[in-house]
Amino acid sequence: MGLKRTDEFRQDAVRIALTSGLTRKQVADDLGVGMSTLNKWITAHRDTNVVSQEDLDLAKENERLRRENRLLKEEREILKKATQFFAGLKQ
């Protein structure tokens, strides 16, 4: 039989899964629990105050900024390659 986790552990796992920006798989692996177990905990604690609205808003903002940052890095790499290409044409 599996290890019985405390309610506090479950609540912390849900908070981390919903606000850390990590995938559920990463959180489950880091905490040493199965994906299905973590998903059950998230479903069970979804309507509780485990995660404040402010924390959820911050997590959404962080995710938006990560996407924007990734896009900007990709654009910068394209511009670097274009600059190298056009610099090579002048010679």
Side-chain angles (χ1 to χ4, degrees):
M1 185 153 173
L3 181 64
K4 181 79 170 155
R5 306 292 184 161
T6 65
D7 283 340
E8 183 179 4
F9 181 85
R10 292 178 188 152
Q11 290 174 355
D12 287 343
V14 170
R15 183 182 48 73
I16 292 167
L18 295 177
T19 62
S20 69
L22 299 172
T23 65
R24 289 186 183 182
K25 175 80 172 126
Q26 289 171 315
V27 173
D29 289 344
D30 290 348
L31 296 175
V33 298
M35 274 288 296
S36 62
T37 301
L38 180 61
N39 286 328
K40 287 178 189 176
W41 293 348
I42 291 171
T43 301
H45 289 89
R46 187 173 302 276
D47 296 328
T48 64
N49 290 333
V50 170
V51 181
S52 70
Q53 186 60 41
E54 182 179 327
D55 286 343
L56 285 175
D57 291 343
L58 288 174
K60 288 177 185 175
E61 178 70 3
N62 282 339
E63 182 58 32
R64 185 189 69 76
L65 292 171
R66 283 187 184 100
R67 281 193 309 270
E68 183 178 335
N69 193 25
R70 186 174 53 246
L71 178 64
L72 292 171
K73 285 180 179 179
E74 290 172 1
E75 289 174 352
R76 185 185 69 204
E77 288 302 314
I78 290 170
L79 291 173
K80 280 182 182 179
K81 290 177 183 178
T83 301
Q84 291 171 351
F85 174 78
F86 287 116
L89 289 179
K90 289 182 180 180
Q91 296 175 359

